[in-house]
């Protein structure tokens, strides 16, 4: 007997779909030939990056806000968000003529703040506070209680989850009877994965649900290990759309039943996917939006010959971040390396380094000489970009042969992060 997940958790996804009609776009389920050829499978992208606010978050926000009574709406609504939920919230407030207050972390990109203000069109106020979503959410909830308003959470509410779950309904309808073998879903707070996973597992129980998290913010992974949600003490905030210290309680309950596996994707790998999608397919995604596609690398053998859906959750990417995205990608691909080199203080040493140590295609992309006194050795921070991964060991061999005194910097440790 098919498990009725939606009824078990009080999710009314069909009703949510009707409520959202005319408000959200039914985004395309797009076959991607290049990815299909690369992975020897039929790869389809569910293009929520093309949504009216360029992410799926509008679905849950509008579904919940529009379900509130007029009396409640007149008092106003509040949300906390790193960006995408804020934009869906702002769009909903504008559409419904409701006063809203948006709390955003101080690290939120200027592009997302600007977009949120634009979608709100005068109906919302923005308050920047805290360094993470969790800090920001705590401040928002206190404000909500103080002003007797209603909090619209980004993921931990059945009305939010059922709104996001309409994506799963669309996927099965757009598949038009074709079996879907795997669905890869990005996870932050878990609302998207819970809603889509519950619907698809109910109506297509053989479909495998793969939850995809950034390696630096594994809230679902750790919750699965512990058997309940836990609060992470530290997270990498780079994948801001999915960098959450604690998965939602209700999303966790649902995901623990409907998720087959959880895949952790390194932040640098997501960056490589962003660049590859843009260069090969002219698709612009944000780091969280790249997670589901990045996960394909981890399931290459399993998915051969299968029908695969990857949910592209959003495309709100600030162009100011592109240099960092390229940097993280190159480091992940092992094509960019940093060294502290203590050059001897003699004539022509730097000239010899360029002519005798560097390979023909090795490129110095950063050089900071730090001689502060008359010591025999002067340290320098040197960043070198390589053409191929195999060039690295050749470079190290020449550095040793030349007798250089050097230290390889690990960008992931404290010293590397501080210097690089």
């Amino acid at each position: 007997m098919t498990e009725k997940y939606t009824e078990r958790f009080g999710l009314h996804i069909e009703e949510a779909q009707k409520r959202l009609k005319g408000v959200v776009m039914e985004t395309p389920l797009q076959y991607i030939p290049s990815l299909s050829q690369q992975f020897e499978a039929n790869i389809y992208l569910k293009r929520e990056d093309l949504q009216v606010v360029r992410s799926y978050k509008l679905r849950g926000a509008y579904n919940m806000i529009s379900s509130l009574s007029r009396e409640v709406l007149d008092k106003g609504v509040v949300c906390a968000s790193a960006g995408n939920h804020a934009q869906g919230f702002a769009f909903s407030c504008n559409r419904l003529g409701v006063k809203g207050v948006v709390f955003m972390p101080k690290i939120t990109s200027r592009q997302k703040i600007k977009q949120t203000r634009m979608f709100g069109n005068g109906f919302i106020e923005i308050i920047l506070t805290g360094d993470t979503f969790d800090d920001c959410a705590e401040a928002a909830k206190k404000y909500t209680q103080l002003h007797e308003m209603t909090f619209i959470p980004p993921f931990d509410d059945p009305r939010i989850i059922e709104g996001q779950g309409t994506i799963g309904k669309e996927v099965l309808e757009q598949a038009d009877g074709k079996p879907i073998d795997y669905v890869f879903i990005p996870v932050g707070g878990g609302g998207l994965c819970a809603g889509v996973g519950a619907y698809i597992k109910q109506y297509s129980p053989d479909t495998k649900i793969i939850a995809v998290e950034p390696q630096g913010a594994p809230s679902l992974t750790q919750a699965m290990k512990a058997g309940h949600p836990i609060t992470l003490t530290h997270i990498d905030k780079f994948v801001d759309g999915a960098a959450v210290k604690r998965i939602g309680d209700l999303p966790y309950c649902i995901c623990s039943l409907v998720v087959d596996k959880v895949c952790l994707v390194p932040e640098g790998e997501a960056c490589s996917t962003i660049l590859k999608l843009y260069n090969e397919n002219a698709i612009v995604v944000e780091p969280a939006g790249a997670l589901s596609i990045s996960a394909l690398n981890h399931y290459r053998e399993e998915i051969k010959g299968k029908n695969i859906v990857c949910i592209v959750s959003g495309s709100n990417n600030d162009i100011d971040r592109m240099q960092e995205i390229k940097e993280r990608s190159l480091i992940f691909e092992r094509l960019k390396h940093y060294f502290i080199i203590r050059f001897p203080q003699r004539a022509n040493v730097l000239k010899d380094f360029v002519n005798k140590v560097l390979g023909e295609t090795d490129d110095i992309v950063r050089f900071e000489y730090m001689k502060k006194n008359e010591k025999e050795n002067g340290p320098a921070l040197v960043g070198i970009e390589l053409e191929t991964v195999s060039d690295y060991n050749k470079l190290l061999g020449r550095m040793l042969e030349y007798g250089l005194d050097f230290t390889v910097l690990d960008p992931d440790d404290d010293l590397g992060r501080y210097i690089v």
Side-chain angles (χ1 to χ4, degrees):
M1 181 178 178
T2 301
E3 175 72 53
K4 295 184 177 180
Y5 295 107
T6 58
E7 293 180 16
R8 178 174 177 176
F9 292 101
L11 306 179
H12 306 287
I13 292 175
E14 289 82 2
E15 292 179 20
Q17 188 180 50
K18 294 175 184 177
R19 196 176 288 122
L20 296 176
K21 188 174 182 180
V23 178
V24 305
M25 171 187 177
E26 181 179 319
T27 53
L29 185 64
Q30 182 181 7
Y31 177 76
I32 306 295
S34 59
L35 288 173
S36 298
Q37 182 176 8
Q38 178 185 348
F39 292 100
E40 300 178 54
N42 298 312
I43 308 296
Y44 297 85
L45 303 185
K46 180 58 172 168
R47 298 289 306 276
E48 285 298 296
D49 57 301
L50 298 178
Q51 194 54 260
V52 60
V53 296
R54 296 193 294 191
S55 89
Y56 72 94
K57 287 286 193 174
L58 172 59
R59 296 174 182 265
Y62 189 89
N63 185 61
M64 181 172 178
I65 296 173
S66 63
S67 70
L68 300 175
S69 69
R70 191 70 246 178
E71 181 182 1
V72 170
L73 290 177
D74 286 343
K75 293 180 180 179
V77 290
V78 180
C79 84
S81 169
N84 287 339
H85 178 57
Q87 291 179 51
F89 173 92
F91 183 96
S92 302
C93 288
N94 180 24
R95 178 92 176 202
L96 295 166
V98 176
K99 175 190 172 185
V101 180
V102 181
F103 281 73
M104 307 179 88
K106 292 177 182 177
I107 61 167
T108 304
S109 69
R110 287 173 292 176
Q111 181 259 359
K112 288 187 177 181
I113 295 170
K114 183 179 178 181
Q115 289 294 107
T116 300
R117 188 171 286 116
M118 179 195 73
F119 286 123
N121 194 29
F123 282 92
I124 58 106
E125 174 189 357
I126 296 176
I127 297 176
L128 300 178
T129 184
D131 293 324
T132 67
F133 163 75
D134 302 87
D135 299 332
C136 175
E138 184 178 349
K141 290 173 183 177
K142 289 180 180 177
Y143 182 96
T144 302
Q145 293 177 346
L146 182 64
H147 294 84
E148 297 183 339
M149 300 169 79
T150 299
F151 187 69
I152 308 298
F155 44 78
D156 207 355
D157 187 280
R159 291 163 293 184
I160 296 292
I161 295 170
E162 68 189 17
Q164 324 302 27
T166 59
I167 295 173
K169 190 171 189 301
E170 287 181 14
V171 165
L172 294 184
E173 290 170 348
Q174 292 168 324
D176 197 25
K178 184 182 299 182
I180 302 295
D181 298 300
Y182 286 77
V183 178
F184 290 83
I185 309 173
V187 175
L192 174 65
C193 191
V196 174
Y199 191 88
I200 289 183
K201 274 295 188 183
Q202 180 165 316
Y203 293 100
S204 180
D206 293 333
T207 300
K208 286 188 173 11
I209 302 296
I210 310 298
V212 190
E213 292 189 294
Q215 190 173 70
S219 61
L220 176 58
T221 299
Q222 294 304 317
M224 291 286 200
K225 289 180 180 179
H228 56 82
I230 63 172
T231 302
L232 305 178
T233 55
H234 172 76
I235 59 173
D236 185 331
K237 294 174 281 190
F238 177 75
V239 184
D240 52 351
V244 175
K245 286 185 177 179
R246 182 185 177 95
I247 193 168
D249 292 335
L250 180 57
Y252 169 74
C253 287
I254 300 173
C255 288
S256 65
L257 295 176
V258 303
V259 168
D260 291 281
K261 291 182 181 179
V262 183
C263 176
L264 291 178
V265 168
E267 281 73 6
E269 186 174 14
C271 291
S272 293
T273 299
I274 291 171
L275 298 175
K276 188 177 180 68
L277 281 173
Y278 178 76
N279 290 329
E280 296 183 3
N281 303 100
I283 296 175
V284 177
V285 298
E286 61 187 89
L291 289 176
S292 62
I293 302 166
S294 299
L296 297 177
N297 296 315
H298 302 249
Y299 286 80
R300 186 178 293 271
E301 293 303 316
E302 287 186 41
I303 65 176
K304 280 184 179 180
K306 308 291 186 181
N307 296 322
I308 312 299
V309 172
C310 296
I311 297 179
V312 183
S313 58
S315 65
N316 286 301
N317 206 355
D318 191 338
I319 195 170
D320 292 341
R321 303 183 74 192
M322 290 309 295
Q323 189 56 44
E324 183 183 5
I325 288 171
K326 182 180 178 183
E327 172 90 355
R328 282 182 176 252
S329 171
L330 287 170
I331 291 173
F332 172 77
E333 301 289 343
R334 297 168 57 205
L335 295 175
K336 193 170 190 178
H337 301 270
Y338 288 92
F339 307 88
I340 295 292
I341 303 178
R342 289 163 284 277
F343 289 104
Q345 300 301 296
R346 60 174 174 77
N348 297 322
V349 65
L350 297 182
K351 181 179 179 181
D352 286 349
F353 176 72
V354 172
N355 293 332
K356 297 180 180 180
V357 176
L358 291 185
E360 290 184 4
T361 59
D362 299 345
D363 186 18
I364 295 179
V365 292
R366 185 171 176 183
F367 190 96
E368 295 181 26
Y369 198 44
M370 300 179 285
K371 183 184 178 186
K372 297 180 180 178
N373 49 43
E374 295 305 316
K375 288 184 177 180
E376 293 182 356
N377 293 317
L381 171 64
V382 183
I384 300 175
E385 192 170 314
L386 308 175
E387 190 170 86
T388 67
V389 173
S390 62
D391 290 337
Y392 179 64
N393 286 332
K394 297 175 185 176
L395 172 64
L396 288 184
R398 291 191 298 269
M399 291 172 74
L400 292 169
E401 183 180 351
Y402 189 70
L404 285 177
D405 179 10
F406 66 91
T407 300
V408 179
L409 286 180
D410 181 354
D412 292 326
D413 67 21
D414 289 339
L415 178 62
R417 280 194 293 267
Y418 176 74
I419 294 179
V420 175

